[in-house]
């Protein structure tokens, strides 16, 4: 069983479209995250939810909206996609929003906006 | 959030020991030091975490001097499959990763 699974793995879409990426974890973790990795390998946190409550909301355009229907799911919806949104998006989870344990990451969603 | 500095890249050969040093001069008293490994087309994977002195697991060792202003990840006897990007992280849960150290292992 995959611990943190995200779909789709690849997403190619045109500018201006709206798309969603889904994430699910079966580890029983309370905290989930969305990260964006650019071409230089920098991995920047975007959002974090703890028990369905938003606890981290970094400087991200309003076009990005996370939704957590329950502790095991954290989806990312992106409106009006732009070329600069092209990147790999990673979902992750952890027991708690602290430094006591490691994060488990999904395998990523490569988004290409054309 | 404590800033970290690590080499951009390192080359090694199979069977050698690889040591990656990370500087974190403004580490806070209650900050842990965590290392992740990322293979191409995969998400980062937790390797090891420590607070002080030495921590060892089946994958790597982590050496932390008394002042905790740096840490060294040691990979013993690397193989080709250890080629990856290695990230050093310090601090709270806003864990944004830097560019990491790209380790290339050659035959």
């Amino acid at each position: 069983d995959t611990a943190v699974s995200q779909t789709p793995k690849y997403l190619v879409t045109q500018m201006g479209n709206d798309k969603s990426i889904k994430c699910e974890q079966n580890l029983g973790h309370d905290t989930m995250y969305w990260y964006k990795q650019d071409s230089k390998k920098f991995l920047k946190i975007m959002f974090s939810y703890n028990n369905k409550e938003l606890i981290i909301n970094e400087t991200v355009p309003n076009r990005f909206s996370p939704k957590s229907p329950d502790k095991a799911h954290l989806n990312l919806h992106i409106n009006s996609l732009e070329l600069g949104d092209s990147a790999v998006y990673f979902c992750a989870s952890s027991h708690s929003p602290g430094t006591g344990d490691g994060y488990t990451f999904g395998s990523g969603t490569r988004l290409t906006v054309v | 959030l404590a800033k970290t500095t690590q080499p951009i890249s390192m080359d090694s050969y199979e069977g050698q020991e690889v040591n990656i040093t990370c500087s974190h001069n403004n580490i806070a008293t209650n900050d842990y030091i965590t290392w992740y490994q990322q293979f191409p087309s995969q998400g980062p994977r937790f390797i090891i975490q420590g607070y002080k002195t030495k921590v060892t697991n089946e994958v790597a060792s982590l050496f932390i001097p008394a002042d905790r202003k740096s840490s060294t990840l040691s990979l013993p006897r690397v193989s080709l499959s250890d080629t990856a990007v290695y990230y050093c992280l310090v601090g709270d849960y806003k864990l944004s990763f830097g560019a990491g150290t790209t380790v290339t292992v050659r035959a």
Side-chain angles (χ1 to χ4, degrees), chain B:
Chain B
L1 186 65
K3 185 183 174 190
T4 61
T5 303
Q6 53 184 121
I8 293 175
S9 64
M10 297 181 73
D11 287 346
S12 184
Y13 290 92
E14 285 189 291
Q16 290 187 333
E17 179 181 81
V18 172
N19 296 307
I20 309 170
T21 296
C22 179
S23 298
H24 27 81
N25 290 319
N26 59 340
I27 187 170
T29 303
N30 56 352
D31 283 346
Y32 278 78
I33 300 159
T34 311
W35 286 80
Y36 283 80
Q37 174 191 55
Q38 185 178 24
F39 297 115
S41 301
Q42 293 186 28
R45 181 176 74 113
F46 172 84
I47 301 177
I48 198 166
Q49 186 180 69
Y51 182 79
K52 62 180 180 181
T53 62
K54 177 184 174 183
V55 180
T56 297
N57 61 22
E58 65 278 3
V59 177
S61 294
L62 179 60
F63 298 92
I64 305 169
D67 66 6
R68 301 197 335 118
K69 293 185 184 300
S70 67
S71 59
T72 299
L73 176 73
S74 180
L75 307 171
R77 294 185 299 279
V78 294
S79 63
L80 296 176
S81 62
D82 291 316
T83 293
V85 179
Y86 293 82
Y87 296 95
C88 166
L89 298 150
V90 172
D92 64 21
Y93 56 88
K94 277 183 155 182
L95 292 182
S96 282
F97 297 51
T101 298
T102 299
V103 172
T104 303
V105 181
R106 306 181 195 281

Side-chain angles (χ1 to χ4, degrees), chain A:
Chain A
D1 276 350
T2 304
V4 179
S5 61
Q6 48 183 114
T7 55
K9 191 169 177 60
Y10 299 98
L11 186 52
V12 181
T13 188
Q14 291 186 326
M15 283 175 53
N17 283 350
D18 302 339
K19 291 294 178 185
S20 292
I21 307 172
K22 295 185 176 181
C23 180
E24 176 182 3
Q25 55 97 1
N26 62 4
L27 298 167
H29 288 166
D30 288 334
T31 311
M32 296 185 72
Y33 313 82
W34 276 110
Y35 282 81
K36 178 181 179 181
Q37 187 166 43
D38 61 25
S39 57
K40 295 183 179 179
K41 298 297 184 183
F42 282 88
L43 198 60
K44 290 190 65 177
I45 192 165
M46 301 172 69
F47 302 104
S48 176
Y49 273 74
N50 187 50
N51 279 321
K52 301 196 303 177
E53 181 183 340
L54 182 65
I55 57 171
I56 295 177
N57 186 353
E58 288 295 284
T59 308
V60 178
N62 291 338
R63 301 180 293 102
F64 290 79
S65 55
K67 283 188 174 52
S68 181
D70 55 56
K71 270 187 359 176
H73 295 84
L74 180 61
N75 304 322
L76 182 65
H77 189 75
I78 315 170
N79 288 326
S80 304
L81 278 156
E82 301 177 356
L83 292 177
D85 296 332
S86 295
V88 182
Y89 293 84
F90 287 98
C91 176
S93 71
S94 67
H95 278 297
S96 60
T99 58
D101 56 19
Y103 292 12
T104 302
F105 282 80
S107 57
T109 296
R110 182 174 293 276
L111 171 64
T112 303
V113 182
V114 297

